Amino acid sequence: MATEQELSGFLKSVERRAFKRAAYQVRDEEAALDIVQESMMRLAQHYGDRPLAEMPHLFQRILSHAIIDSLRRRKTRWNLFSNLSDLTVGQSDEVDPLEALEDLIGHEGTQSAQDALEKTQTLKELEFLLMQLPERQREAFLLRYWEEMDLAETAAVMGCSQGSVKTHCFRAVQALSKALKARGYGS
Amino acid sequence: MKHSRKTRLELLADRQGLSLAARLNPAASDLPHQVTERLRAARERALASRKVQTARAQGAYGMGGSLALNHGDDDQMGWLGRLSSGLALLLLVVGMLGISEAQNDLRARELAEVDVALLTDDLPPAAFADPGFLQFLQTDDL
């Protein structure tokens, strides 16, 4: 069983990223704060007696459910935003996804692109683009790359197959890379 | 060939995804003060709620053995709980004293009844025919 100090330390270590993840997904900071608070309460009340090692996975699941609940309640607000569907690379045979992605990233990888950009500017732009992604792509991207979960974990949290996670992630990366390049941040 | 191409595509996407996500990291570390304060308050509230849950669970678990005498440190018990426990203890002591007194009284009554029976009982006529009894009556020590 995790001690009070251990639980406090764990919550402290995840609260900021949890807040940002919720904010990216629901696109509302007030709602994101409520979601994080609700998730912390649920973890402490229902799973406070679990070992510390189980906490990260439990918390991510609780957080994901809280985000989904919030999104369901606020579904109508989604219509106010446009999405990146026009930027998503089509699946036609004419475009080779590997070549397209390599072209977007550049042969030097992302390092050269990073060097060319002001970090703050990139962050703002990336945050904006991320929030325009379709819901499932955004969720997959954040879980897989920001929370650095493996495929199986991400699929478990999202309640879908690993193949679906790969597809969502690939499309999210493609869309973000293409949008960044279109705004002059590509190599 | 197709398999390796797919793997390469996935690896490339993963590498790019991790790189893009890494650019988001400053967003989590540079939060406004009011946000960090609300997160801290939320954390403390969560920890406090866990304390209450734990205390309630322990209280319920220990009830069978300790009954009313166990006050514990639970503030929720309050003065009402303490008063009721005190009253129960007082009633117990008064009850035990009452039982003890009643038993003493009963024993005294039984002894008195035996004495009365002995003292008021008529002497059977056969007793006067008993030489031993006559000798007893003539004894100076009586």
Side-chain angles (χ1 to χ4, degrees), chain A residues 52-71:
Chain A
L52 185 64
E54 291 181 20
M55 294 289 175
H57 181 65
L58 284 167
F59 184 71
Q60 292 303 338
R61 290 200 78 138
I62 293 169
L63 184 66
S64 292
H65 284 296
I67 289 169
I68 290 167
D69 287 346
S70 177
L71 285 173

Side-chain angles (χ1 to χ4, degrees), chain B residues 45-80:
Chain B
R45 212 168 299 150
L47 289 170
S49 75
R50 184 210 190 197
K51 270 184 191 170
V52 171
Q53 291 287 102
T54 309
R56 278 184 188 161
Q58 285 174 348
Y61 187 76
M63 276 295 277
S66 51
L67 202 62
L69 293 175
N70 180 21
H71 293 301
D73 294 326
D74 193 349
D75 290 338
Q76 290 203 337
M77 194 168 186
W79 63 270
L80 200 62

Side-chain angles (χ1 to χ4, degrees), chain A residues 1-2 4 15-17 24 30 37 44-45 48 96 98 102 105 110 122-123 126-127 145-146 173 177, chain B residues 5 8-10 12 14 16 19-21 23 25 27-29 36 38 43 45-47 49-51:
Chain A
M1 176 178 163
E4 190 188 333
E15 65 190 17
R16 291 178 178 223
R17 289 179 80 86
Y24 289 143
E30 274 300 313
Q37 178 174 322
Q45 288 177 348
D96 183 343
L98 181 57
E102 280 180 332
I105 296 168
T110 56
T122 313
L123 176 61
L126 187 56
E127 284 188 314
Y145 302 127
W146 209 45
V173 169
S177 300
Chain B
R5 191 174 174 283
R8 181 167 154 67
L9 192 62
E10 285 171 6
L12 202 59
D14 284 347
Q16 175 70 350
S19 172
L20 288 171
R23 294 192 211 176
N25 284 339
S29 52
T36 57
R38 283 190 61 179
R43 182 179 1 114
R45 212 168 299 150
L47 289 170
S49 75
R50 184 210 190 197
K51 270 184 191 170

Side-chain angles (χ1 to χ4, degrees), chain B:
Chain B
M1 180 70 183
K2 199 172 180 179
H3 182 262
S4 66
R5 191 174 174 283
K6 191 181 173 189
T7 308
R8 181 167 154 67
L9 192 62
E10 285 171 6
L11 286 173
L12 202 59
D14 284 347
R15 198 185 69 182
Q16 175 70 350
L18 288 168
S19 172
L20 288 171
R23 294 192 211 176
L24 291 170
N25 284 339
S29 52
D30 299 332
L31 293 176
H33 178 69
Q34 63 178 36
V35 171
T36 57
E37 277 303 295
R38 283 190 61 179
L39 289 172
R40 186 186 57 77
R43 182 179 1 114
E44 287 172 359
R45 212 168 299 150
L47 289 170
S49 75
R50 184 210 190 197
K51 270 184 191 170
V52 171
Q53 291 287 102
T54 309
R56 278 184 188 161
Q58 285 174 348
Y61 187 76
M63 276 295 277
S66 51
L67 202 62
L69 293 175
N70 180 21
H71 293 301
D73 294 326
D74 193 349
D75 290 338
Q76 290 203 337
M77 194 168 186
W79 63 270
L80 200 62
R82 291 169 194 274
L83 184 66
S84 61
S85 298
L87 277 175
L89 191 64
L90 187 66
L91 281 174
L92 184 67
V93 172
V94 169
M96 288 178 76
L97 287 174
I99 290 169
S100 173
E101 191 66 24
Q103 280 184 336
N104 287 340
D105 192 41
L106 185 65
R107 177 176 284 269
R109 282 173 187 275
E110 284 172 350
L111 290 174
E113 281 173 13
V114 171
D115 288 344
V116 167
L118 284 173
L119 292 171
T120 59
D121 196 16
D122 292 333
L123 205 58
F128 295 99
D130 183 27
F133 183 64
L134 289 175
Q135 184 63 39
F136 169 71
L137 289 177
Q138 289 167 3
T139 303
D140 291 336
D141 295 340
L142 194 68

Side-chain angles (χ1 to χ4, degrees), chain A residues 2 56 76 82 91-92 111 115 140 143 148 161 166 172 177:
Chain A
T76 50
S82 62
Q91 301 300 306
S92 70
Q111 195 56 46
D115 293 342
L143 292 174
E148 296 187 19
S161 69
K166 283 182 189 176
S177 300

